[in-house]
Amino acid sequence: MSYEFDLVTLGAGSGGVAASRRAASYGARVAICESVRIGGTCVLRGCVPKKLLVYGAHFSEEFQDAAGFGWTVPQPGFDWPTLIARKNHELDRLNQIYERMLRDSGATLMMGAARILDPHTVDVAGQVLTTANILVATGGWPILPPVKGIEHVITSNEALDLLSLPKRMVIVGGGYIAVEFAGIFNALGVRVTVVVRGDNVLRGFDADIRAHLGHEMRKKGIHLRCETAVRSIEREPDGSLSVYTGHEELLEADVVMYATGRAPNTKGMGLPEAGVRLDPSGAVVVDDASRTTVPGIFAVGDCTDRLNLTPVAIAEGRAVAEMLFNQGTAVIDHAGIPTAVFSQPPVGTVGLSEAAARKLSGEVDVYVSSFRPMKYTLSGRDERTLVKMVVDPRTDRVLGCHMVGQDAPEIVQGLAIALKCGATKAQFDATIGIHPSAAEEFVTLRVKRPPPMAETKS
């Protein structure tokens, strides 16, 4: 059967754009559909604008630290609208770049909401396209729980475009988004309270990393309310918000932001009707080659809820294009992928946490170092860095590297290559460090932490 296109992609975010460009480079006839703007979550509502705000927030401490190095800095002032305007200008520039890259690749950009009519037909705002293959790359979207007064809150989407800085802010959630925005707004002078249902921030991360980051956040003035749930939210006559917790505590705020999770963006696009299986959360069910339950329909990125990171979506999208149009494989290795949290201080991690390593290997060797960064010896800032390494004592292979502190994401990116290559502790030890640097701590770790009491007794 003859089709108008070889591939129609739903969603022009990181994964969809990467797949479409790669497919077009091999001569495939490609259409990519988008209902809003080109760039997706990462470029428009996530990684990029958030990191720009993180950079802006860091100047608060930089001005303070400068005095310790002999600089006389006048009392600085900050203008939130200026930062937001500059951020929006950069997003406009990136949007134009993405559009140009798609045009230059030969892909056809279709603006409008897309709906799958059958495994080879897609409707885009009333225009019907026929295609040999369909790729779903529609990302995710913030979700809100059924809490009384939830209509008064914002999500990270709206936090990126607040018209003015609030004086008081309550952030509900303890994951990436919550701790990153807590750091941003706290550094910009907002009184921030973070409400976490669990025992600490960053559930799923290494326990030492979680404890260290939580401690440092408190030292910076962020108020953490752990093991706490929000019961209700009320709008007061003066426009402020009252947040009532399950502990009968009242938290007053000007803005309440929820960062309690994201759901796959798969509703209303005809997936179940076309035979594509979704899991209970709405995620597209795929195999290790990103194939759905319907031949010819594929899905990548956050809408599959596998590992929701931009570089993963890009790799998955390109792999599908390679399989379809260049005789490649669509299987990528989801193990050992590094990640970072741009909190203040930031977190970088790759490999297994101590708990996961013990579950997998039984006994493990653990090396931990905590120190005051050299920069702060003159500025006097009370902030400490933590580095941690988890090793399999039977093979000497390094199973995980974790860090909280300045430059952690940059350092751990390099360590991820070592772990991907199966580096051993002996090889780390044989590597000469760069002095003075925080990174050298990973090649100078010598003293093992005593095992837990239960392990000692056994």
Side-chain angles (χ1 to χ4, degrees):
M1 186 174 178
S2 178
Y3 299 107
E4 183 181 0
F5 293 98
D6 301 304
L7 176 68
V8 170
T9 301
L10 277 63
S14 298
V17 168
S20 299
R21 291 181 62 210
R22 181 65 59 92
S25 75
Y26 292 130
R29 298 165 300 167
V30 179
I32 183 168
C33 317
E34 178 55 59
S35 61
V36 191
R37 298 178 74 194
I38 312 304
T41 297
C42 179
V43 174
L44 301 175
R45 298 173 294 276
C47 323
V48 173
K50 172 203 66 187
K51 188 70 180 292
L52 293 174
L53 297 194
V54 169
Y55 282 134
H58 271 299
F59 282 99
S60 173
E61 291 187 351
E62 295 292 339
F63 284 127
Q64 297 169 13
D65 292 343
F69 292 86
W71 290 89
T72 300
V73 180
Q75 182 64 35
F78 173 72
D79 185 66
W80 171 259
T82 297
L83 175 59
I84 296 304
R86 293 293 297 164
K87 179 265 296 181
N88 289 340
H89 179 76
E90 175 62 8
L91 299 193
D92 289 341
R93 186 184 73 87
L94 292 175
N95 178 251
Q96 293 170 9
I97 289 174
Y98 268 62
E99 288 185 5
R100 185 175 70 247
M101 289 192 304
L102 284 171
R103 286 197 306 269
D104 292 348
S105 73
T108 300
L109 176 60
M110 308 287 294
M111 296 304 297
R115 182 178 177 83
I116 298 173
L117 302 181
D118 64 46
H120 298 286
T121 311
V122 178
D123 179 288
V124 186
Q127 185 171 349
V128 176
L129 312 178
T130 60
T131 179
N133 301 282
I134 295 171
L135 175 64
V136 182
T138 49
W141 199 257
I143 55 175
L144 296 173
V147 172
K148 181 182 178 182
I150 198 69
E151 67 273 12
H152 301 308
V153 312
I154 65 170
T155 69
S156 58
N157 290 352
E158 295 79 32
L160 291 166
D161 289 303
L162 287 173
L163 296 178
S164 60
L165 270 183
K167 293 182 179 179
R168 304 161 301 173
M169 189 173 197
V170 169
I171 298 177
V172 183
Y176 285 76
I177 296 172
V179 299
E180 288 172 341
F181 276 93
I184 290 168
F185 286 107
N186 177 71
L188 297 178
V190 179
R191 177 183 169 85
V192 176
T193 301
V194 179
V195 178
V196 185
R197 183 181 292 272
D199 63 338
N200 209 337
V201 296
L202 295 186
R203 180 173 61 88
F205 281 69
D206 185 89
D208 285 320
I209 298 305
R210 300 176 67 203
H212 189 87
L213 178 62
H215 184 63
E216 292 297 324
M217 289 173 66
R218 286 186 173 97
K219 282 162 56 176
K220 289 179 181 294
I222 296 172
H223 303 271
L224 291 185
R225 297 289 190 274
C226 296
E227 298 182 328
T228 301
V230 173
R231 193 181 76 237
S232 65
I233 303 158
E234 294 182 7
R235 174 77 71 184
E236 302 299 339
D238 64 356
S240 66
L241 295 170
S242 294
V243 179
Y244 295 92
T245 74
H247 298 314
E248 305 301 326
E249 181 182 13
L250 168 62
L251 304 175
E252 297 177 329
D254 303 301
V255 171
V256 177
M257 173 184 148
Y258 261 70
T260 50
R262 298 171 66 85
N265 185 27
T266 56
K267 292 181 179 179
M269 55 189 67
L271 290 167
E273 294 83 351
V276 175
R277 182 184 166 199
L278 306 180
D279 74 9
S281 73
V284 182
V285 176
V286 293
D287 64 10
D288 59 0
S290 295
R291 292 180 288 237
T292 72
T293 51
V294 176
I297 301 182
F298 304 82
V300 299
D302 291 6
C303 70
T304 67
D305 200 23
R306 286 179 283 182
L307 193 56
N308 298 339
L309 298 169
T310 295
V312 174
I314 291 172
E316 291 170 350
R318 287 173 176 167
V320 168
E322 291 289 337
M323 179 182 67
L324 291 176
F325 305 110
N326 195 38
Q327 299 181 335
T329 175
V331 178
I332 69 167
D333 185 4
H334 285 87
I337 293 175
T339 189
V341 183
F342 294 100
S343 48
Q344 299 184 37
V347 173
T349 180
V350 61
L352 299 178
S353 67
E354 179 180 347
R358 290 189 185 281
K359 185 175 181 180
L360 179 69
S361 302
E363 291 187 24
V364 294
D365 289 340
V366 177
Y367 301 83
V368 180
S369 175
S370 176
F371 56 92
R372 189 183 197 184
M374 186 177 183
K375 176 181 179 180
Y376 298 145
T377 59
L378 294 191
S379 72
R381 181 166 299 282
D382 181 21
E383 181 176 312
R384 296 185 67 80
T385 290
L386 178 79
V387 301
K388 180 174 182 177
M389 180 182 289
V390 182
V391 179
D392 185 337
R394 294 167 299 180
T395 64
D396 198 43
R397 183 169 178 173
V398 179
L399 301 177
C401 290
H402 313 277
M403 180 175 178
V404 183
Q406 273 194 331
D407 300 321
E410 308 295 337
I411 292 169
V412 169
Q413 176 68 82
L415 298 180
I417 301 172
L419 268 64
K420 196 72 171 176
C421 295
T424 64
K425 181 65 167 64
Q427 290 170 328
F428 269 75
D429 293 344
T431 302
I432 304 299
I434 298 173
H435 183 75
S437 71
E440 69 177 321
E441 286 290 318
F442 280 103
V443 298
T444 59
L445 293 168
R446 294 293 183 270
V447 180
K448 286 186 284 188
R449 187 168 69 183
M453 188 65 67
E455 187 175 312
T456 303
K457 290 179 180 179
S458 64

